Amino acid sequence: MSVRMTVAAHRPITDFVFGVSLFNADGVCCYGTNTLIEGATAGELSGDGEVRFAIDRLDLVEGTYKLDVAVHRQNGTPYDYHRLLYTFRVKSTLKEAGIFRPPHRWSFSGGIRITGL
């Protein structure tokens, strides 16, 4: 999954954080992070730019999800905050329960015979 934010600063700023959060249809936060949480130090934002946030493996079970994207000050004061404005759907042939599908494997021993896994 890739999230792209096009940003524009009308004047240079040095106090900024970019953030992304994923929520399920019930409003439960599945994942959220931002550049400050991950240890980045803001330099300067001036003029136009583009922010890309990529998730290599989404690992969500089938369902409807919502996305938050934000740019705010380090103290949380928003410059622009799109709260639950973007919806996406995950489809699957598996009818699992929960929110996410962690990487996993099954193993069997003894007299157990299973095929198809």
CSV table of all heavy atoms in Angstrom, one decimal, residues 4 8 11-12 15-16 24 28 41 45-46 55 58 62 64 85 97-98 100 109 117:
chain,number,residue,atom,x,y,z
A,4,ARG,N,0.2,8.8,-0.7
A,4,ARG,CA,0.9,9.9,-1.3
A,4,ARG,C,0.2,11.2,-0.8
A,4,ARG,O,-1.0,11.3,-1.0
A,4,ARG,CB,0.9,9.8,-2.8
A,4,ARG,CG,1.8,10.9,-3.4
A,4,ARG,CD,1.8,10.8,-4.9
A,4,ARG,NE,0.4,11.1,-5.3
A,4,ARG,CZ,0.0,11.2,-6.6
A,4,ARG,NH1,0.9,11.1,-7.5
A,4,ARG,NH2,-1.2,11.5,-6.9
A,8,ALA,N,2.0,21.8,0.3
A,8,ALA,CA,2.4,23.1,-0.1
A,8,ALA,C,2.5,24.0,1.1
A,8,ALA,O,1.6,24.1,1.9
A,8,ALA,CB,1.5,23.7,-1.1
A,11,ARG,N,4.8,29.6,3.3
A,11,ARG,CA,6.0,30.2,3.9
A,11,ARG,C,6.9,29.1,4.5
A,11,ARG,O,6.3,28.0,4.9
A,11,ARG,CB,5.7,31.3,4.9
A,11,ARG,CG,4.9,30.8,6.1
A,11,ARG,CD,4.7,31.8,7.1
A,11,ARG,NE,3.8,31.4,8.2
A,11,ARG,CZ,4.1,30.5,9.2
A,11,ARG,NH1,5.3,30.1,9.2
A,11,ARG,NH2,3.3,30.2,10.1
A,12,PRO,N,8.2,29.2,4.6
A,12,PRO,CA,9.0,28.1,5.2
A,12,PRO,C,8.6,27.8,6.6
A,12,PRO,O,8.4,28.8,7.4
A,12,PRO,CB,10.4,28.6,5.1
A,12,PRO,CG,10.3,29.7,4.0
A,12,PRO,CD,9.0,30.3,4.1
A,15,ASP,N,8.8,23.4,12.0
A,15,ASP,CA,8.1,22.6,13.0
A,15,ASP,C,7.0,21.8,12.3
A,15,ASP,O,5.9,22.3,12.1
A,15,ASP,CB,7.6,23.4,14.1
A,15,ASP,CG,6.9,22.6,15.2
A,15,ASP,OD1,6.9,21.4,15.1
A,15,ASP,OD2,6.3,23.2,16.1
A,16,PHE,N,7.3,20.6,11.8
A,16,PHE,CA,6.3,19.8,11.1
A,16,PHE,C,6.5,18.4,11.3
A,16,PHE,O,7.6,17.9,11.4
A,16,PHE,CB,6.2,20.2,9.6
A,16,PHE,CG,7.5,20.0,8.9
A,16,PHE,CD1,7.7,18.8,8.2
A,16,PHE,CD2,8.5,20.9,8.9
A,16,PHE,CE1,8.9,18.5,7.6
A,16,PHE,CE2,9.7,20.7,8.2
A,16,PHE,CZ,9.9,19.5,7.5
A,24,ASN,N,-10.2,0.4,11.3
A,24,ASN,CA,-11.2,-0.5,10.7
A,24,ASN,C,-12.6,0.2,10.7
A,24,ASN,O,-12.7,1.4,11.1
A,24,ASN,CB,-11.3,-1.8,11.4
A,24,ASN,CG,-11.9,-1.7,12.8
A,24,ASN,OD1,-12.3,-0.7,13.3
A,24,ASN,ND2,-12.0,-2.9,13.4
A,28,VAL,N,-11.6,1.3,15.2
A,28,VAL,CA,-10.5,0.9,15.9
A,28,VAL,C,-9.2,1.2,15.1
A,28,VAL,O,-9.1,0.8,14.0
A,28,VAL,CB,-10.6,-0.6,16.2
A,28,VAL,CG1,-9.3,-1.2,16.9
A,28,VAL,CG2,-11.8,-0.9,17.1
A,41,THR,N,13.8,14.1,12.4
A,41,THR,CA,13.9,15.5,12.8
A,41,THR,C,13.6,16.4,11.6
A,41,THR,O,14.2,16.3,10.6
A,41,THR,CB,15.4,15.9,13.3
A,41,THR,OG1,15.7,15.0,14.3
A,41,THR,CG2,15.5,17.3,13.7
A,45,LEU,N,10.3,22.8,5.6
A,45,LEU,CA,9.3,22.6,4.5
A,45,LEU,C,9.0,23.9,3.9
A,45,LEU,O,8.6,24.9,4.6
A,45,LEU,CB,8.0,22.0,5.2
A,45,LEU,CG,6.8,21.9,4.3
A,45,LEU,CD1,7.0,21.0,3.1
A,45,LEU,CD2,5.6,21.3,5.1
A,46,SER,N,9.3,24.0,2.6
A,46,SER,CA,9.0,25.3,1.9
A,46,SER,C,8.5,25.0,0.5
A,46,SER,O,9.0,24.0,-0.1
A,46,SER,CB,10.2,26.2,1.8
A,46,SER,OG,11.3,25.6,1.2
A,55,ILE,N,3.8,0.8,2.7
A,55,ILE,CA,3.7,-0.4,3.5
A,55,ILE,C,3.9,-1.6,2.6
A,55,ILE,O,3.1,-1.8,1.7
A,55,ILE,CB,2.3,-0.5,4.2
A,55,ILE,CG1,2.1,0.7,5.2
A,55,ILE,CG2,2.2,-1.8,5.0
A,55,ILE,CD1,0.7,0.7,5.8
A,58,LEU,N,0.4,-5.3,3.8
A,58,LEU,CA,-0.7,-4.7,4.6
A,58,LEU,C,-1.2,-5.7,5.7
A,58,LEU,O,-1.5,-5.3,6.8
A,58,LEU,CB,-1.8,-4.3,3.7
A,58,LEU,CG,-2.8,-3.3,4.2
A,58,LEU,CD1,-2.1,-2.0,4.8
A,58,LEU,CD2,-3.7,-2.8,3.1
A,62,GLU,N,-10.1,-9.3,5.3
A,62,GLU,CA,-11.1,-8.7,4.5
A,62,GLU,C,-11.9,-7.7,5.3
A,62,GLU,O,-12.4,-8.0,6.4
A,62,GLU,CB,-12.0,-9.7,3.8
A,62,GLU,CG,-13.0,-9.1,2.9
A,62,GLU,CD,-13.8,-10.2,2.1
A,62,GLU,OE1,-13.1,-10.8,1.2
A,62,GLU,OE2,-15.0,-10.3,2.3
A,64,THR,N,-13.6,-3.2,5.4
A,64,THR,CA,-13.5,-1.8,5.0
A,64,THR,C,-12.7,-1.1,6.0
A,64,THR,O,-12.8,-1.3,7.2
A,64,THR,CB,-14.9,-1.2,4.9
A,64,THR,OG1,-15.7,-1.9,3.9
A,64,THR,CG2,-14.9,0.3,4.5
A,85,LEU,N,-11.1,10.4,6.1
A,85,LEU,CA,-11.7,10.8,4.8
A,85,LEU,C,-11.5,9.8,3.7
A,85,LEU,O,-12.2,9.9,2.6
A,85,LEU,CB,-11.1,12.2,4.4
A,85,LEU,CG,-11.5,13.4,5.3
A,85,LEU,CD1,-10.9,14.6,4.7
A,85,LEU,CD2,-13.0,13.5,5.3
A,97,ALA,N,-11.3,-13.8,10.9
A,97,ALA,CA,-11.8,-12.9,11.8
A,97,ALA,C,-10.7,-12.0,12.3
A,97,ALA,O,-9.5,-12.3,12.3
A,97,ALA,CB,-12.5,-13.6,13.0
A,98,GLY,N,-11.1,-10.8,12.8
A,98,GLY,CA,-10.1,-9.9,13.4
A,98,GLY,C,-9.8,-8.7,12.5
A,98,GLY,O,-10.6,-8.3,11.6
A,100,PHE,N,-6.1,-8.0,11.5
A,100,PHE,CA,-4.9,-8.2,10.6
A,100,PHE,C,-4.6,-9.7,10.5
A,100,PHE,O,-5.0,-10.6,11.3
A,100,PHE,CB,-3.7,-7.5,11.1
A,100,PHE,CG,-2.9,-8.2,12.2
A,100,PHE,CD1,-1.7,-8.7,12.0
A,100,PHE,CD2,-3.5,-8.3,13.5
A,100,PHE,CE1,-0.9,-9.3,13.0
A,100,PHE,CE2,-2.8,-8.9,14.5
A,100,PHE,CZ,-1.5,-9.4,14.3
A,109,SER,N,2.2,-33.1,13.4
A,109,SER,CA,3.0,-34.2,13.7
A,109,SER,C,2.2,-35.4,14.0
A,109,SER,O,1.0,-35.3,14.3
A,109,SER,CB,4.1,-34.0,14.7
A,109,SER,OG,3.4,-33.7,16.0
A,117,LEU,N,-2.7,-26.8,2.7
A,117,LEU,CA,-2.0,-25.7,3.4
A,117,LEU,C,-0.6,-25.5,2.9
A,117,LEU,O,0.1,-26.3,2.6
A,117,LEU,CB,-2.0,-25.9,5.0
A,117,LEU,CG,-3.3,-25.9,5.7
A,117,LEU,CD1,-3.1,-26.2,7.2
A,117,LEU,CD2,-3.9,-24.5,5.6
